[in-house]
Amino acid sequence: ENRDLIKFGTAVASGGFDLRAQAVLLDEASQIVEPAALIALNSGISRFIQIGDARQLPAVVSKVCQQHNYDHSLFERLLGMPGQASVLLDIQYRMHPSISKWLSFAMYEQKLKDGPQSRCRINGCFLTDFERVSFINDSYSSEEAVGTSFRNPREAASIAAFTSELINNGGVVESDVGIITPYAPQIQQIRLSGKLARSVEIATVDSFQGREK
């Protein structure tokens, strides 16, 4: 009976709804710019709940919008105001504990905890010269423009070579590899640099978000 009273849609599309709702839940709230979030509030609601993570991807806008402070979410703004009620979901179930330990220290004030599934992850094989979280500084590489986007040939070659090493000598299965890059042209550049198999998944940050790979 109550299912007919629940409506789903984007924040912008909600402006065309006759909501008359007691409550609105805004998912991925940290990625929604303030004007879009405000559209969902224009319905006489009594409760507004935002769900998101201000430490993850922000709203994606142009440089012009960034210059005018248009790249902030309502979620982020309210978190920075005193007296606003918020709840931190502090248990993670996806990452190996050694990875979540770094994230907890770097981004979550050491408040992140490991759920039972993450503690039971199989260790598997890994190259002995690297930890589970490693940073490799390729200071000699540089980006080049491709239309309105970018690619970095030297860095792509380094990533392809490292991936091949993982597969050939690190005991890693091709289909278990995920390469994340912020630029679409870099995807093809990486694949061509190392002639990597199609089973090696290469995608943008947005494509991988929320995945368990």
Side-chain angles (χ1 to χ4, degrees), residues 23-186:
V24 166
L25 277 71
L26 192 62
D27 190 26
E28 297 291 1
S30 63
Q31 296 189 52
I32 303 173
V33 293
E34 286 182 288
L38 292 174
I39 293 175
L41 288 173
N42 191 27
S43 56
I45 61 174
S46 58
R47 180 172 296 179
F48 182 53
I49 302 170
Q50 298 187 84
I51 305 170
D53 187 346
R55 303 298 177 88
Q56 292 189 14
L57 291 176
V60 180
V61 297
S62 68
K63 290 183 178 180
V64 174
C65 292
Q66 292 175 10
Q67 293 170 358
H68 291 81
N69 295 321
Y70 186 65
D71 57 338
H72 296 290
S73 64
L74 182 62
F75 182 83
E76 185 179 3
R77 182 182 294 275
L78 292 178
L79 278 180
M81 296 176 63
Q84 290 296 325
S86 63
V87 176
L88 174 66
L89 304 180
D90 58 359
I91 300 178
Q92 70 85 21
Y93 300 91
R94 297 178 175 179
M95 295 172 282
H96 189 280
S98 61
I99 298 175
S100 65
K101 180 180 179 181
W102 176 83
L103 285 172
S104 180
F105 177 81
M107 301 180 67
Y108 296 101
E109 301 174 344
Q110 303 187 56
K111 295 179 180 179
L112 200 60
K113 303 172 185 176
D114 298 313
Q117 289 92 329
S118 66
R119 290 195 294 267
C120 295
R121 295 255 184 208
I122 299 175
N123 288 329
C125 301
F126 207 71
L127 297 182
T128 56
D129 293 338
F130 296 93
E131 299 293 335
R132 292 186 182 276
V133 178
S134 300
F135 298 90
I136 302 173
N137 182 19
D138 189 355
S139 57
Y140 294 101
S141 65
S142 60
E143 294 178 344
E144 57 184 44
V146 181
T148 58
S149 190
F150 299 91
R151 68 184 174 194
N152 189 321
R154 180 186 173 93
E155 193 170 286
S158 298
I159 293 171
F162 185 72
T163 302
S164 297
E165 185 70 13
L166 277 174
I167 295 170
N168 297 330
N169 300 313
V172 177
V173 180
E174 292 176 344
S175 58
D176 287 341
V177 177
I179 301 176
I180 306 173
T181 174
Y183 308 124
Q186 187 76 345

